[in-house]
Every structure is written in structure tokens, then in C-alpha cells.
């Protein structure tokens, strides 16, 4: 579990931090669940030893929070005052932030403040999901290629109802809360209405105490940053992660394999196995999303991509062929470089499809792993739709459908009939437009090359849907039937299946 918030009291009053403030940590001691820190404070004029008494009130708070609120309310059990918050900010400025200790500039102050707020979020966050796991409630999993979150600091302290104490604490340290908020870059995870809707959904789900979980990609450079120069508009890479992201927690123990290309091998019993090709790993980064006036805090899990260290060709590097040595690493990492990479070229189209499948595959593997954990020793796959709903935000995550079928059939051993029925009852879709030209279409050749197993499944779904259309409209009017098939079937400009 990550670091938890605490309060501190000092034997002597603490002066505000300033550019020449220096301190060195000298030791910890514990007595009666109270940690004592001895800190040597150095300045240009004096040298003093201060003893800080740090009580882990966050652990006490966690014990008190037996379950999240079922309605709106406040966390009256634990309301830190400005003195405790100021001490927490000082602690993070000293021990957590990745900044030099010589000064306490606005950027460092923002990170220390954000990490202090994050401590409170983590307590509610862990309690929320421990409660949901314990009662085994049905959970909604929202899948979106975009999340337009905006800046998180003011939203978080406002939702926690700590705006006043944080403003006062920062005044004691020589800063203004609004100035700290202006230090925060916008998270470059979304672009427009689609991403804003996704973020609003997560905020609303948390505020209304719904058990929910968001999934997306952790874009390193986002879409772009716009500069206005003498020559007009210039687009450059967004640098929102350059100094780090104080809100996210990397989960090194949560990663899933994602495969591209390869071939499908049929077994003697009719089973299918997708092998070979290109393999990457999707690693989880979690961001807490707090509700307003509630202890419910939901999770946004973002995937970053990499390959194992074995993929680094040390021999090629030592012979001077550096590009070949780390080609596999760069090929994996670029999947999460940019939101909506240009798709005029075949390489751009391939990269976009890789992004969408990475989101779907890693997220579904995670969802299923969590479902199996909650199910215990015996997993009844028929109950998956009773415990899980996967909500696709627009067309980007629609590969969730064949991917879920693939996992249920090829990995879990279910029949086509059971897997198709479970998938239909588990996956839902949010439509953002009625214009057909706005709906994504992919080349069957590209899909066949990149995701050969999924093309087999899509063909089977298309065949099932064709039979449903024929059953609905009959064969009396063949012209009407052909028109319906042309407009409604999944595969376009492809001959009808033999059946």
C-alpha cells in the first residue's frame, strides 16, 4: 500500500520554508504508535535540532472507515487541520519529491501538495475497493481511448472538502493554493468531447457511489501542444510527463502480455491456438478519481507498453548496431507515445489498431483476473454478466468483443455458443454519432495480418448476424434483404458465407 497521510507536531514552531531552507534526515524512532523524527535544520544563520512527532492517523482513519458511504455525506471522522497539512507538505517536500533539496520553489511545492492530497485519496481509494471486493458487487468497467481530465489539484481538495485547510496551510508555507493549481499541467490523455464525457462519467460514478473502474492508455506526448509563432500555429509534443505525474501510481506487479501478428494453429479437437508474432507487455498506472462529498474513490487504470529486457539485443549493441539493439523496445513504447497518431500511411493505421487492441486486451485480461479472484476456487463463467459490465466509449474499443470471445474460448475452454452468449450480455456500447462516415472501418487485410485469430471470430460473428437478419426479414423480398445485408452486416464488400 502506498504512503498514508499523517499529522505532525513539533516541539518548536516551524518556520516557513524558503529558498535557503535545508534539512537532513537523521533518524526514526517509535513509541506508542507514534513515530519520532530527528531532523537537523540548517540555514545560513543557525543550526538546530528539531524532534517531530509523527502519528500515523491515516491508519487510524482506515480502521474507522468500515465501508464507503451509501449516500452523499462528509468524512467527518478525519478532518486534518492546516497545521497537519502543512507538516504533510513539508514531509513530501523533504522525502518524496524528485527535486533538489536546496530550494522550495513553486514546482516543488505543487508536487509536495499534490502528494499530500494523494495520501488522503489513497485511504479512501483502498477502502472503497476493499469494500467492493468484500461484498462482490457487480462492477462497471469503462473503456475509452480518451480522458480529458483537466487539472486535478483543486478538484481533489474540493471533493475532499479540504480547500480551506489546504489554502491556509500553503499560506503558512508562503504560497497560494490557486498559484499551486496553476503549476499543474493538463493531463494529455484526451482531446475533446469524447474524453471529457469519459472523465465526467468517472467523476459522476464516484460521486454517486457506483462501483466502477476506468481503463485507458497512458500517452507520453498526448495529442500535441500548440504554439503561436510569427509563422502561425506550430504543433509540438506535449511535455506533461516531463517532471512526472504526482497523481499516478505505477503497479509494477500488474502487467499483461499483448500479442500481434503470428498465426493460428488448429488442434485435433477443433481448438485454436494463436502463437508467434510480436509480444509486448502492458503495465498498469493507477490514478484515483474522488467523488464529491463522499469517501468513494474510483480508479482510472492507464496502460503503458514495453517489452522484456531479453528483447534488448546486447550483442548488436556491442557491435555498434544500436538501432537494431533497441528496435523491439522502441516498437513497443511507441504504441503509447501519441493520442491519435496520423493514419494516412499504413504504418499509422497499424499503430492506431495496435493502440486499440492493447487497450482492449490488457483491460479484459485484468477484468477477468479480478473476476476470477472474486469467484474463488470455482469460477462459474455464466455469472460473468452478473458481476461485470464492459462499457465501450465509441467505436475505438470494439475489439473488446472478439477479444473477450477469444479469451473465453481459447484460454478458458468455453464453447462458441456459451462465449457468444456471455459476451452479448457483458459488453455495452456508447454511440457518439449517427453519421456513418464517423464510424471506424478497418481493412480486412490489415486486420488479418495484425490480429489473425480475431478475424476468424469476426467472420463467425458476421455469419451469426447474417442469419439473424434473414430470420428477421425473410427471403420473400430478396431486394430488401440484400439492401439490409449491405447496410447492416459487419463485413463490407465480402462475399456471403457458405452457410
Amino acid at each position: 500500500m502506498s504512503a498514508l497521510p499523517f499529522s505532525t507536531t513539533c516541539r518548536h514552531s516551524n518556520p516557513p520554508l524558503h529558498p535557503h531552507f535545508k534539512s537532513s534526515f537523521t533518524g526514526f524512532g517509535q513509541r506508542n504508535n507514534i513515530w519520532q523524527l530527528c531532523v537537523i535544520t540548517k540555514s545560513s544563520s543557525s543550526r538546530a535540532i528539531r524532534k517531530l512527532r509523527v502519528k500515523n492517523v491515516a491508519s487510524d482513519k482506515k480502521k474507522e472507515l468500515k465501508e464507503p458511504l451509501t449516500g452523499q455525506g462528509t468524512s467527518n471522522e478525519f478532518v486534518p487541520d492546516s497545521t497537519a497539512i502543512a507538516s504533510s507538505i513539508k514531509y513530501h517536500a523533504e522525502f518524496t519529491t524528485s527535486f533538489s533539496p536546496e530550494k522550495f520553489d513553486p514546482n516543488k511545492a505543487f508536487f509536495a501538495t499534490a502528494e499530500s492530497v494523494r495520501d488522503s485519496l489513497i485511504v479512501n481509494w483502498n477502502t472503497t475497493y476493499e469494500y467492493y471486493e468484500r461484498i462482490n458487487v457487480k462492477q462497471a468497467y469503462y473503456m475509452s481511448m480518451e480522458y480529458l481530465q483537466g487539472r486535478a489539484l483543486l478538484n481533489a481538495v474540493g471533493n475532499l472538502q479540504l480547500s480551506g485547510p489546504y489554502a491556509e496551510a500553503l499560506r503558512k508555507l508562503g504560497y497560494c493554493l490557486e498559484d499551486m493549481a496553476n503549476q499543474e499541467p493538463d493531463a494529455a490523455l484526451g482531446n475533446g468531447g469524447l474524453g471529457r464525457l469519459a472523465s465526467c462519467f468517472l467523476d459522476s460514478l464516484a460521486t454517486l457511489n457506483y462501483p466502477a473502474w476506468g481503463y485507458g492508455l497512458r500517452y507520453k506526448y498526448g495529442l500535441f501542444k500548440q504554439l503561436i509563432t510569427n509563422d502561425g500555429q506550430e504543433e509540438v509534443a506535449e511535455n506533461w510527463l516531463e517532471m512526472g505525474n504526482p497523481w499516478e501510481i505505477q503497479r509494477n506487479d500488474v502487467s499483461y502480455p499483448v500479442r500481434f501478428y503470428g498465426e493460428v494453429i488448429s488442434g485435433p479437437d477443433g481448438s485454436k491456438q494463436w502463437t508467434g508474432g510480436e509480444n509486448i507487455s502492458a503495465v498498469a498506472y493507477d490514478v484515483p478519481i474522488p467523488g464529491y462529498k463522499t469517501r468513494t474513490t474510483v480508479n482510472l487504470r492507464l496502460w503503458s507498453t514495453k517489452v522484456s529486457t531479453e528483447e534488448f539485443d546486447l550483442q548488436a549493441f556491442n557491435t555498434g548496431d544500436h538501432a537494431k539493439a533497441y528496435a523491439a523496445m522502441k516498437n513497443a513504447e511507441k504504441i503509447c507515445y501519441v493520442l491519435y497518431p496520423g493514419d494516412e500511411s499504413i504504418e499509422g493505421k497499424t499503430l492506431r489498431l495496435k493502440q486499440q487492441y492493447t487497450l482492449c486486451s490488457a483491460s479484459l485480461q485484468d477484468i477477468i483476473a479480478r473476476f476470477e479472484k472474486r469467484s474463488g476456487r470455482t469460477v462459474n463463467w455464466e455469472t460473468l454478466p452478473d458481476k461485470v459490465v464492459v462499457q465501450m466509449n465509441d467505436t475505438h474499443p470494439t475489439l473488446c468483443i472478439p477479444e473477450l470471445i477469444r479469451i473465453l474460448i481459447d484460454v478458458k475452454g468455453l464453447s462458441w455458443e456459451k462465449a457468444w452468449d456471455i459476451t452479448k450480455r457483458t459488453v455495452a456500447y456508447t454511440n457518439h454519432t449517427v453519421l456513418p462516415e464517423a464510424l471506424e472501418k478497418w481493412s480486412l487485410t490489415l486486420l488479418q495480418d495484425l490480429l489473425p485469430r480475431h478475424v476468424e471470430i469476426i467472420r463467425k460473428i458476421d455469419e451469426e448476424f447474417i442469419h439473424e437478419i434473414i430470420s428477421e426479414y425473410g427471403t420473400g423480398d430478396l431486394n430488401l434483404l440484400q439492401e439490409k445485408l449491405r447496410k447492416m452486416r459487419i463485413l463490407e464488400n465480402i462475399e456471403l458465407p457458405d452457410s
Side-chain angles (χ1 to χ4, degrees), residues 151-169:
R151 297 173 179 178
L153 179 59
L154 291 181
N155 180 70
V157 296
N159 285 1
L160 291 169
Q161 297 182 278
L162 294 176
S163 298
Y166 265 91
E168 178 62 26

Side-chain angles (χ1 to χ4, degrees), residues 124-136:
N124 292 344
W125 189 18
N126 289 337
T127 304
T128 296
Y129 282 102
E130 286 174 7
Y131 173 66
Y132 290 150
E133 290 292 310
R134 187 170 70 249
I135 66 174
N136 196 16

Side-chain angles (χ1 to χ4, degrees), residues 102-123:
E102 288 81 10
K103 54 185 178 180
F104 189 65
D105 61 17
N107 204 21
K108 181 177 181 179
F110 159 69
F111 270 78
T113 303
E115 285 156 349
S116 170
V117 176
R118 193 186 71 173
D119 287 345
S120 295
L121 296 181
I122 287 173
V123 176

Side-chain angles (χ1 to χ4, degrees), residues 34-76:
I34 296 178
W35 288 92
Q36 294 188 357
L37 293 78
C38 290
V39 180
I40 300 176
T41 304
K42 301 177 182 178
S43 67
S44 56
S45 58
S46 63
R47 182 179 187 274
I49 297 180
R50 295 184 296 141
K51 181 176 289 188
L52 305 181
R53 300 173 66 247
V54 183
K55 183 179 180 182
N56 192 351
V57 296
S59 296
D60 297 338
K61 178 193 175 187
K62 184 180 176 185
K63 293 175 183 177
E64 294 172 3
L65 299 181
K66 298 300 181 183
E67 58 187 51
L69 299 178
T70 56
Q72 283 197 342
T74 59
S75 301
N76 293 324

Side-chain angles (χ1 to χ4, degrees), residues 40 122 252 386 394 438 492:
I40 300 176
I122 287 173
N252 291 313
D386 301 325
D394 209 20
E492 189 176 74

Side-chain angles (χ1 to χ4, degrees), residues 409-462:
I409 295 177
D410 297 356
V411 181
K412 305 303 178 182
L414 273 65
S415 66
W416 166 267
E417 289 75 20
K418 286 186 177 180
W420 178 226
D421 177 66
I422 290 170
T423 300
K424 287 192 293 184
R425 293 188 290 122
T426 302
V427 180
Y429 169 63
T430 302
N431 184 28
H432 286 267
T433 180
V434 295
L435 299 175
E437 60 268 23
L439 300 177
E440 286 188 310
K441 294 182 180 180
W442 291 100
S443 162
L444 186 60
T445 303
L446 174 58
L447 272 171
Q448 180 69 57
D449 187 36
L450 192 68
L451 304 170
R453 177 60 177 134
H454 296 76
V455 169
E456 294 182 350
I457 295 171
I458 292 170
R459 286 184 181 274
K460 181 67 174 176
I461 296 172
D462 182 61

